[in-house]
Each structure stands twice: as structure tokens, then as C-alpha cells.
Amino acid sequence: MPRIGNAKLGAAAIFVAVAASIALGLWNRGVARTRLPLAVLNIVLLATLVPVAVHLSHRAQPEVATRVFIQTEPVPGLAYNGAPVDNIYPYSRDGRLLHDVLLYTGSGAPLDVPGAAIDPQRRVLRTTSGKQVLNAYPIRYFDPGTGQVAHPGAAPKVQIPRIATPPLPVAK
């Protein structure tokens, strides 16, 4: 729809042009055929072509909004910054590696590493009733075919900070 001021005026201009065309065609049929009315009409149409061409050349292109969605699949189980965690090494405040530390979430759910339970080489703690405890860290593995953990104190090299805060009292 051409805009001459606004869309309503453009629609009115089209309506007037159609009505004038029909009237001119009907008038031209009854009047002796001369070339003058057609020449005048061609000049008028040529004059109206200029604003239409300017309008079409300056017409705003529709704005295409581009949205980029980055969707990542959540890492199943225990993760840190999106990377899966396969073990945790807890240390005491004095820098001693702790063994068989049971970890839980804030809601009380055991903090387990998925898939590690099915590893036959994993040393799994058990309750007195025989149920597996899979939230004990660090996870240790038996040497193949021995049932023994050769290096229970093995851990990644870490720099333990010196702690200045007094320890919390422990209820007994």
C-alpha cells in the first residue's frame, strides 16, 4: 500500500485512480477518438510515477530480529563449571587428606558420582546392613585382582592455604 501521508490516504489515492480510470474509459468510448486525452493522461501518469518511484526506493526494509539461543545439555551427576567431577579430595584445616568423608547436598541428598558404582575396581563403603554408600570421598580403587588399594593417600598436588580462623567447637 503506497503511503501518501499515511495508509488511509494511500488507499484513497488508489480508489480515486481506479475510479478515474474507469470514468476515463467510459468517457473515451463515447467521445470521438482523439489522441489529446490519452496524451494528457500519459503525462499525468508519468508525473505521478516520480513520487511512487521515490517512495519505493526509500521504503524501509522489514527489520529482521536475530536471536541466538545457546542451549547446553546439563552434565548428568556431579559437575563443576559444567565439567563432570569424578572424585573429591577433602582435606582438614591442617592440610591432612581425609578418608571416607561422607558428603551431602544442602537438602540432605547423598552427593554421588554417577556410574562409579558399577566399577568393580571401586572400593565401596557399606552400611552395617550391607547397603552401598556411594557418597564417600575420596573414591579409591583396588589394584586389579588384589582387593587392595595400593596408595590410599594418593591425591592431586594441591597447595593448602594456612587457615587463621579458629576452628569451630565440635559437639561430642
Side-chain angles (χ1 to χ4, degrees):
M1 179 70 63
R3 291 186 180 265
I4 303 171
N6 61 33
K8 289 181 181 177
L9 286 177
I14 289 174
F15 178 74
V16 168
V18 168
S21 175
I22 292 171
L24 185 60
L26 292 174
W27 177 75
N28 225 6
R29 225 189 311 168
V31 175
R33 306 225 176 211
T34 64
R35 298 221 180 249
L36 183 62
L38 292 176
V40 171
L41 179 62
N42 282 335
I43 291 171
V44 170
L45 289 175
L46 186 61
T48 59
L49 177 67
V50 173
V52 170
V54 169
H55 168 73
L56 291 176
S57 68
H58 289 87
R59 187 172 62 186
Q61 295 297 321
E63 192 173 311
V64 178
T66 303
R67 291 185 181 180
V68 177
F69 292 100
I70 300 174
Q71 184 175 0
T72 57
E73 292 295 320
V75 175
L78 193 57
Y80 178 71
N81 287 339
V85 173
D86 60 355
N87 210 342
I88 298 173
Y89 296 88
Y91 287 85
S92 68
R93 63 184 291 115
D94 61 0
R96 196 183 54 197
L97 178 64
L98 303 176
H99 295 279
D100 300 336
V101 175
L102 304 180
L103 297 180
Y104 295 87
T105 66
S107 63
L111 197 59
D112 298 341
V113 173
I118 58 174
D119 187 343
Q121 297 302 109
R122 180 178 176 181
R123 175 184 171 262
V124 178
L125 297 183
R126 297 190 179 276
T127 65
T128 54
S129 65
K131 182 181 174 194
Q132 290 184 335
V133 177
L134 300 175
N135 64 325
Y137 296 94
I139 297 172
R140 295 298 179 204
Y141 295 91
F142 297 126
D143 285 346
T146 66
Q148 298 288 321
V149 176
H151 303 285
K157 200 86 158 139
V158 294
Q159 182 68 35
I160 304 297
R162 295 182 65 185
I163 306 295
T165 309
L168 292 172
V170 179
K172 292 184 182 187

